[in-house]
Amino acid sequence: MSTPVLNESFYEQATGLLSGLIRIPSLSSQEDKTATLIEDFFDSQNIKKNRKGNNVWAVNKFLDPTKKTILLNSHHDTVKANSDYTKNPHDPIIEEGKLYGLGSNDAGGCLVSLMHAFIHFYERRDLPFNLIVSATAEEEISGQGGVASILSELGPVDFAIVGEPTEMKMAVAEKGLMVLDCKALGKSGHAARDQGVNAIYEALTDIEWFKNYQFDKASAFLGPVKMSVTMINSGSQHNVVPDTCEFVVDVRTTDVYSNEEVLDIILKHVKSEVHARSLRLNPSGLPSDHFAFKISDRLGIETFGSPTMSDQTLMNFPSIKMGPGKSERSHTADEFIYLKEIEEGITGYITFLEKLFNENNAI
């Protein structure tokens, strides 16, 4: 991948913004202060910004409604600090080329890199596409007040880059999620007599099905749909045959089925009552002829399917997931990102967008 030449102060500015974000606690749904910091940063760059709730976004200076739109999105909320932290999670310490702090890797490095790629293009009059950058809330809980709450405000989006730590590899497919609350029904009776219908035994038949069922189609990047029974509860005392058995199933869907299609298949095979807590966390995947594959080939970017979820699950338009940092560092004690990774993130995003702009009929 060729590297654009940028002023060193540009990278330092990105690191400074990330340090400021680290200093401010921003648990999901409590990101108001980091949202204000991001607003203030846009003001300092003379960039007009918008805010709804704790979501902040900006559009390139010379917006043209006749052009297609690319969204650059990442989140500024974090999980709670891991109990094994040895450093202050809100003290952005730099040691041996690493910037430590809660949210540095997931996904602050991605966010500031996308924002600076946006700044790089902000005043260009000749952009063949519109660019929107959004810093969104509640990603860690897939909340209603996150990116889903502003999509209608953004207008039509034709393609998105979602910033998550992938070592700048390109996730072209991502698993979705359904959580199922299931209830097997029986009939109570005395355990000492041949009475009743044991709901646990009824549940076991369905649990066995969840364990062994193989869906007809598998994803090229994500493999098969995965179903795991993760919780079970039944019975009130040792000598009573239980009349209900409740269990929970974690279902990781792939891009070859919608959540609705997977649920329909499940309902046709099990006797238990099944209730999906939500169908909104959908899998995503690009068609094999999508232009992003061509650009990744030309730039030597590795493609893969991601088992972890992001804001992609809430987007109904084509998207990829790509960003600096490493997924395995997310949610760990003494989280960090290398300063070099932030530089690589900014230049990598700019290079990808430049290649896309040069092929303005791609989308």
Side-chain angles (χ1 to χ4, degrees):
M1 184 185 297
S2 60
T3 303
V5 178
L6 300 173
N7 192 298
E8 189 65 30
S9 63
F10 198 62
Y11 301 127
E12 292 173 354
Q13 179 177 270
T15 301
L17 175 59
L18 178 53
S19 295
L21 291 169
I22 290 169
R23 290 188 182 98
I24 303 172
S26 55
L27 298 177
S28 299
S29 76
Q30 301 174 35
E31 316 93 337
D32 53 306
K33 291 183 175 62
T34 46
T36 298
L37 176 65
I38 292 166
E39 282 191 295
D40 292 344
F41 175 78
F42 280 132
D43 286 340
S44 73
Q45 302 297 306
N46 296 313
I47 293 174
K48 182 180 178 181
K49 83 286 183 184
N50 306 273
R51 178 169 178 173
K52 182 178 181 181
N54 294 331
N55 305 285
V56 182
W57 70 96
V59 182
N60 59 288
K61 187 172 184 177
F62 299 102
L63 174 68
D64 184 343
T66 67
K67 295 178 180 177
K68 294 184 177 181
T69 296
I70 298 171
L71 173 64
L72 311 176
N73 172 78
S74 192
H75 64 95
H76 59 103
D77 63 317
T78 71
V79 297
K80 186 177 180 181
N82 188 302
S83 61
D84 292 330
Y85 260 84
T86 65
K87 303 177 184 293
N88 182 341
H90 296 294
D91 185 6
I93 299 171
I94 296 176
E95 294 179 351
E96 298 180 344
K98 302 174 184 177
L99 173 57
Y100 287 90
L102 181 62
S104 57
N105 181 76
D106 183 18
C110 300
L111 176 60
V112 301
S113 296
L114 281 172
M115 290 174 64
H116 281 74
F118 172 82
I119 291 169
H120 178 77
F121 293 109
Y122 176 69
E123 298 209 26
R124 276 187 39 179
R125 291 178 176 271
D126 61 342
L127 292 182
F129 305 110
N130 295 312
L131 274 183
I132 301 175
V133 64
S134 59
T136 51
E138 298 187 17
E139 188 273 347
E140 296 290 1
I141 60 171
S142 301
Q144 299 283 352
V147 69
S149 70
I150 66 167
L151 290 179
S152 62
E153 309 276 344
L154 304 182
V157 173
D158 299 281
F159 177 67
I161 300 174
V162 176
E164 290 286 339
T166 67
E167 302 174 88
M168 291 306 287
K169 299 172 186 176
M170 185 188 301
V172 295
E174 180 184 88
K175 287 188 176 182
L177 170 66
M178 284 193 300
V179 179
L180 306 180
D181 292 307
C182 305
K183 181 188 288 187
L185 302 177
K187 184 177 180 181
S188 62
H190 198 295
R193 301 185 177 93
D194 190 16
Q195 291 179 336
V197 176
N198 194 318
I200 294 176
Y201 299 157
E202 297 297 302
L204 285 175
T205 300
D206 288 341
I207 290 171
E208 189 72 11
W209 181 84
F210 279 113
K211 175 184 176 183
N212 295 322
Y213 185 76
Q214 299 292 318
F215 287 83
D216 292 336
K217 295 184 290 185
S219 166
F221 281 95
L222 299 171
V225 173
K226 181 173 175 55
M227 301 187 291
S228 302
V229 177
T230 55
M231 300 174 69
I232 188 167
N233 182 54
S234 184
S236 58
Q237 57 191 67
H238 77 90
N239 58 351
V240 177
V241 173
D243 61 354
T244 61
C245 180
E246 298 177 347
F247 58 99
V248 176
V249 187
D250 179 290
V251 183
R252 303 290 166 155
T253 52
T254 73
D255 55 305
V256 294
Y257 293 100
S258 68
N259 284 353
E260 290 86 351
E261 289 172 328
V262 171
L263 181 59
D264 285 343
I265 292 170
I266 291 170
L267 292 174
K268 290 175 182 176
H269 285 84
V270 301
K271 294 188 299 181
S272 299
E273 297 176 357
V274 177
H275 172 71
R277 296 181 187 177
S278 172
L279 296 175
R280 64 194 287 266
L281 303 179
N282 284 292
S284 64
L286 294 178
S288 59
D289 60 349
H290 194 271
F291 70 86
F293 285 106
K294 299 174 184 176
I295 293 178
S296 68
D297 286 343
R298 290 169 187 169
L299 296 178
I301 301 173
E302 181 181 335
T303 58
F304 71 105
S306 174
T308 59
M309 290 195 307
S310 69
D311 277 333
Q312 280 186 287
T313 61
L314 302 171
M315 298 176 178
N316 60 358
F317 39 80
S319 62
I320 60 170
K321 181 166 68 179
M322 181 172 72
K326 193 170 184 177
S327 181
E328 289 80 359
R329 294 185 211 136
S330 301
H331 306 179
T332 62
D334 297 336
E335 181 182 350
F336 70 88
I337 189 167
Y338 285 99
L339 299 180
K340 182 179 179 181
E341 289 175 322
I342 298 173
E343 295 183 13
E344 292 170 348
I346 295 171
T347 56
Y349 286 139
I350 290 173
T351 301
F352 183 91
L353 290 168
E354 286 280 13
K355 179 64 72 172
L356 178 56
F357 296 156
N358 291 336
E359 301 182 19
N360 60 11
N361 294 318
I363 296 181

